[in-house]
Amino acid sequence: MSTQPFPSLPDVSRASWPRRAPSRIEAYAALCAVSFLCYIAGRLTDGTAGTLFSLIGAGACGWAWLLTRALFDPAPRDVRWPRIVVTVVAVAGALTVLAPAEGGLYGFAGNVYGLSGSAALLLTFIEPFQARQGDLGVPEKRFRLAFLVIYTAQMVAVLGSGVSSGVPGEIGRTDLIRIACAVVGSVGAAAAVWYRLRHPLGQADATVSVRRAPTEEDRRLAERLLALLRDEAIDGRPDLRIGDVAARMGQPEYKVSQCISTVLGFPNFNRLINHHRIERAKRLLADPDQVLPILEVAFECGFGSVGPFNRAFREQVGVTPREFRAASRRLS
C-alpha cells in the first residue's frame, strides 16, 4: 500500500478567508433556530416577554419548511412563492397572538394560520421525496429516511397533543409535549444541516430556471483540481474533505463545488472523489500481476473500510469488486 504522505496544507488564518454571504441552508437554519427558540420561550414565559417571543416563534413551521426545501433542493435560492406562503404563516400567526380572542379578526387569522401552517407541515413531509437529481446514493436515501421517521414522530406527537380530553392540567401537558417536540426538532434540524453541509447536493442536475454556465475561473479551478488528483493522488486520503482541498487551493468551498458541478459534471465533491477512487480500483483489480486482497485495494484507493468501497464500486460499475476482478482475469 502506498505510504506517500498527503502534502501538508497551508496554515490559513480565519482573517485571510474570503468573505461570502451565508448559503441558503445557513440562512434558513439561523431563522429556523431563532423561531424555534422563541416558540419554546413563548410557551414558558408570560407577560410582554412571552408575547414578543410568541410573535417571533409564530412562523416556526414555515421556516422549518423553507429549511427542509434547502436541504433537499440544491438550487442556490428559493423561488418566490414559498416565501410568500411563509410570510402568510408568520403574519397570520402573529395576528392570533395580538388580536383579542373574542374578535372576528382573531377567528379569521386563526383559520388562515391553521390552513397555511398545515400546508407548510405537509409540504415539509413531502420535500424528502422530491428527488430533484434523480440519482440518489444509499447514504442520501438513509438520510432522507431518518428525516422522515423523526419528522413523522414529531407530527404524530403534536397532533395527538392537540386532542384535548378536558382533564384539568391538560393544557400544561400539551405545552410540555409541544415544547419537547420543538426541542427535538431543533436538534434534528441542526443534525440535518451538519450532514448536508458536509454532503452537499450538486447543482448540475438540479431543476432550476436557468442552468449556470461555467466561467473561465471555474475551468481554471477544475484544471487545478484534476492536477491534484492526477499528480498527487489526493483522493488516497480517506478523510479527505472539500474544505481540505479548498484550503489547499486557496479558494472558498463554494467555488470548488461550483467548478465540480459546472465543469467536471459531478453533482458534488464526494461523487467526484469516489469516481477517481473507483477508477484506480478498477485498474488494480484488472491487473493480473496484482494479488492484493479486496480490503487492501480499498485502503490503497482511499476508502476507510471495505463496506463503503463495495457499495461505491457496485453503484458505479454495476458489479462487486470481486466479480469485476474475476471477469477481468477471465478476459486476460
Side-chain angles (χ1 to χ4, degrees), residues 39-40 43 157-159 161-163 173-183:
Y39 174 85
I40 294 170
R43 293 274 173 171
V158 169
L159 294 175
S161 70
V163 181
R173 185 183 71 86
T174 298
D175 280 346
L176 286 176
I177 292 174
R178 294 188 175 184
I179 289 171
C181 288
V183 171

Side-chain angles (χ1 to χ4, degrees), residues 183-265:
V183 171
V184 172
S186 300
V187 174
V193 169
W194 180 89
Y195 178 88
R196 177 57 74 221
L197 291 178
R198 285 155 181 77
H199 303 84
L201 290 171
Q203 297 179 17
D205 299 323
T207 305
V208 292
S209 56
V210 179
R211 181 170 179 172
R212 181 184 179 280
T215 64
E216 187 60 33
E217 183 183 17
D218 291 331
R219 294 188 179 92
R220 289 196 298 269
L221 287 178
E223 291 174 1
R224 292 176 58 192
L225 178 55
L226 291 178
L228 288 175
L229 289 166
R230 180 183 62 250
D231 302 335
E232 301 184 23
I234 61 172
D235 53 319
R237 175 176 165 180
D239 60 345
L240 183 68
R241 296 290 182 267
I242 189 171
D244 302 329
V245 178
R248 174 69 184 277
M249 299 172 71
Q251 297 290 333
E253 291 184 23
Y254 78 94
K255 287 193 174 183
V256 179
S257 180
Q258 283 176 357
C259 85
I260 290 171
S261 61
T262 59
V263 179
L264 302 180

Side-chain angles (χ1 to χ4, degrees), residues 23-237:
S23 68
R24 178 182 170 209
I25 292 178
E26 293 166 338
Y28 287 148
L31 290 169
C32 194
V34 170
S35 62
F36 267 111
L37 288 174
C38 288
Y39 174 85
I40 294 170
R43 293 274 173 171
L44 298 174
T45 310
D46 296 325
T48 303
T51 300
L52 180 60
F53 285 133
S54 296
L55 283 173
I56 301 173
C61 60
W63 295 122
W65 170 45
L66 288 185
L67 175 59
T68 305
R69 280 180 58 84
L71 289 172
F72 299 112
D73 178 3
R77 60 184 60 85
D78 254 320
V79 292
R80 183 175 299 175
W81 72 266
R83 288 177 285 177
I84 294 175
V85 172
V86 174
T87 300
V88 172
V89 173
V91 172
L95 287 175
T96 62
V97 176
L98 296 175
E102 65 276 4
L105 180 59
Y106 177 84
F108 173 77
N111 290 333
V112 174
Y113 186 51
L115 289 173
S116 58
S118 297
L121 293 175
L122 177 60
L123 290 168
T124 301
F125 180 81
I126 293 174
E127 287 300 331
F129 294 100
Q130 304 296 317
R132 293 175 172 88
Q133 291 180 279
D135 182 16
L136 299 179
V138 173
E140 179 65 21
K141 290 179 181 178
R142 289 175 177 170
F143 170 59
R144 294 180 182 228
L145 178 60
F147 181 95
L148 285 169
V149 169
I150 295 172
Y151 181 74
T152 301
Q154 284 181 271
M155 288 303 98
V156 169
V158 169
L159 294 175
S161 70
V163 181
S164 176
S165 63
V167 177
E170 182 72 19
I171 296 178
R173 185 183 71 86
T174 298
D175 280 346
L176 286 176
I177 292 174
R178 294 188 175 184
I179 289 171
C181 288
V183 171
V184 172
S186 300
V187 174
V193 169
W194 180 89
Y195 178 88
R196 177 57 74 221
L197 291 178
R198 285 155 181 77
H199 303 84
L201 290 171
Q203 297 179 17
D205 299 323
T207 305
V208 292
S209 56
V210 179
R211 181 170 179 172
R212 181 184 179 280
T215 64
E216 187 60 33
E217 183 183 17
D218 291 331
R219 294 188 179 92
R220 289 196 298 269
L221 287 178
E223 291 174 1
R224 292 176 58 192
L225 178 55
L226 291 178
L228 288 175
L229 289 166
R230 180 183 62 250
D231 302 335
E232 301 184 23
I234 61 172
D235 53 319
R237 175 176 165 180

